[in-house]
Amino acid sequence: MFNDIQANGAQVLASSLQGNSTLLSLRLSGNKIGRGGGLELASMLQENCALQELEVADCDLDTSSIIALIIMLKKNKALCSVDISRPLLFSHQEEWAVHCSKMLAVNSSLMELHLGRMGMTDTGIEQLTEGLGRNNSLRYLDLCSNRVTRDGAFHLAMMLKQNRALEILDLSSNQIGDGGAGYLSKAITCPRSTLKELSVCRNNITSEGLLLLAQAVKSSSTLTHMYIWGNHLEDPVCQAFKELISSGRLHPEQTDVSPYEVDGHVFLAEVFQSLRKPVYNIDCNVQRNGNKRKDFTE
């Protein structure tokens, strides 16, 4: 990663991996391989059936190379973790989201997908959730630093009521506000929800929405991790999260806030903890049989 590898270097790597059956993880993030390099990797992944993890974040991929990689995931049955965050997308049509939705509807191997800094709007989220509603394998979805608002959170909440696989959702650095927090709170407490970890840091949520999320944590039978720093942490919110933590419902190591008192008033301090990245790890000491995949860590 971050080694000044460009399109020609990506072509060499793609060629060497065409028939490779041993390499499990390829992390190229930060190398500006651009459109040409992205297309070469997509072509290689049509043949390679061993690679399980691919990271090409911040690689200056364009719309065509992103779409090529997504379409490849319709057929590739080996990849379990993919990061295509922070590409260079100049179109506002979000064509890639349509292709991603169609891919997720049929893909049965992908367990972790990072789509941070994609410029995704509520329209893109709506398209994406159509496929997610039919997906049974994805367990970690990263949507951080996009342009998701209340309406996008609504579509995600509707999806969470249908999807029986997703366990980790990263919505940090968006703009879902109180309305979006309310939609997610209802989805979290839905009997069908399997969500275990949620990050809504830096989403312009006030006491109204944060108190709904606190109540959802208390009521949920599955949610164990909640990250809220960067929102409006007023007195009622500080008190609610203090009670969650002191009661043992929210473990101190599974949130990013810690309560303290000054002159009888409760405040929350930031704790530098966040969603585990990545959570999907390869055990290279285990002999692989056929298409044996990595385990999702607890």
Side-chain angles (χ1 to χ4, degrees), residues 202-234:
R202 301 174 296 279
N203 264 276
N204 197 30
I205 307 173
T206 69
S207 293
E208 178 184 347
L210 290 170
L211 289 175
L212 289 173
L213 287 170
Q215 183 59 45
V217 173
K218 188 181 296 186
S219 304
S220 171
S221 60
T222 59
L223 195 73
T224 56
H225 297 63
M226 175 66 77
Y227 303 91
I228 62 167
W229 185 259
N231 294 293
H232 302 279
L233 307 181
E234 298 166 339

Side-chain angles (χ1 to χ4, degrees), residues 32 34 58-66 84-91 117-118:
K32 307 305 182 180
D58 194 17
C59 283
D60 287 359
L61 301 181
D62 69 351
T63 300
S64 60
S65 52
I66 287 289
I84 55 174
S85 300
R86 202 177 183 182
L88 293 179
L89 304 179
F90 298 106
S91 171
R117 294 181 172 87
M118 302 284 289

Side-chain angles (χ1 to χ4, degrees), residues 2-297:
F2 298 94
N3 264 298
D4 200 26
I5 299 170
Q6 299 182 21
N8 289 340
Q11 182 179 7
V12 174
L13 283 170
S15 177
S16 68
L17 288 170
Q18 198 81 25
N20 183 282
S21 60
T22 56
L23 190 71
L24 301 180
S25 177
L26 178 61
R27 298 178 180 176
L28 286 173
S29 295
N31 293 292
K32 307 305 182 180
I33 64 175
R35 176 180 184 272
L39 292 175
E40 290 288 346
L41 290 176
S43 178
M44 173 271 294
L45 289 167
Q46 294 181 27
E47 303 296 331
N48 182 291
C49 58
L51 202 65
Q52 298 179 8
E53 180 180 36
L54 176 66
E55 289 187 13
V56 283
D58 194 17
C59 283
D60 287 359
L61 301 181
D62 69 351
T63 300
S64 60
S65 52
I66 287 289
I67 289 176
L69 286 166
I70 290 172
I71 290 175
M72 170 276 305
L73 285 169
K74 285 185 176 181
K75 297 180 179 180
N76 187 291
K77 303 299 181 185
L79 276 171
C80 301
S81 178
V82 173
D83 188 345
I84 55 174
S85 300
R86 202 177 183 182
L88 293 179
L89 304 179
F90 298 106
S91 171
H92 297 293
Q93 301 302 314
E94 298 182 274
E95 304 96 327
W96 68 268
V98 177
H99 289 280
C100 196
S101 178
K102 293 179 179 178
M103 176 274 293
L104 288 168
V106 298
N107 182 286
S108 59
S109 58
L110 195 63
M111 298 178 69
E112 182 172 347
L113 180 60
H114 295 270
L115 301 173
R117 294 181 172 87
M118 302 284 289
M120 195 184 320
T121 67
D122 295 335
T123 300
I125 291 291
E126 181 177 8
Q127 295 165 340
L128 196 68
T129 53
E130 290 179 7
L132 279 169
R134 291 177 281 173
N135 182 278
N136 295 312
S137 64
L138 195 71
R139 298 171 71 176
Y140 188 147
L141 178 60
D142 174 9
L143 298 173
C144 73
S145 302
N146 280 290
R147 292 187 287 165
V148 184
T149 70
R150 178 194 63 182
D151 293 342
F154 169 79
H155 295 299
L156 286 168
M158 293 301 100
M159 176 273 297
L160 288 172
K161 293 178 180 180
Q162 304 173 34
N163 185 291
R164 298 287 291 167
L166 196 66
E167 296 179 357
I168 303 174
L169 177 60
D170 189 351
L171 274 174
S172 55
S173 298
N174 281 281
Q175 287 292 321
I176 68 170
D178 291 333
Y183 290 136
L184 291 174
S185 298
K186 292 179 180 178
I188 289 169
T189 55
C190 175
R192 293 179 58 85
S193 175
T194 56
L195 200 66
K196 295 180 179 179
E197 303 187 29
L198 174 64
S199 176
V200 290
C201 302
R202 301 174 296 279
N203 264 276
N204 197 30
I205 307 173
T206 69
S207 293
E208 178 184 347
L210 290 170
L211 289 175
L212 289 173
L213 287 170
Q215 183 59 45
V217 173
K218 188 181 296 186
S219 304
S220 171
S221 60
T222 59
L223 195 73
T224 56
H225 297 63
M226 175 66 77
Y227 303 91
I228 62 167
W229 185 259
N231 294 293
H232 302 279
L233 307 181
E234 298 166 339
D235 289 347
V237 176
C238 296
Q239 187 64 43
F241 275 83
K242 176 192 175 182
E243 292 174 2
L244 284 173
I245 295 170
S246 61
S247 68
R249 179 59 189 86
L250 190 59
H251 196 280
E253 295 181 356
Q254 296 171 344
T255 185
D256 58 350
V257 293
S258 177
Y260 67 97
E261 290 191 26
V262 176
D263 296 332
H265 294 281
V266 178
F267 300 91
L268 294 176
E270 181 180 12
V271 180
F272 294 99
Q273 296 169 162
S274 61
L275 295 174
R276 297 164 289 165
K277 295 181 181 180
V279 298
Y280 193 64
N281 297 309
I282 295 173
D283 184 354
C284 295
N285 296 317
V286 177
Q287 293 295 321
R288 294 167 60 249
N289 297 314
N291 289 325
K292 180 180 175 65
R293 297 197 294 272
K294 303 171 282 182
D295 291 326
F296 211 81
T297 60

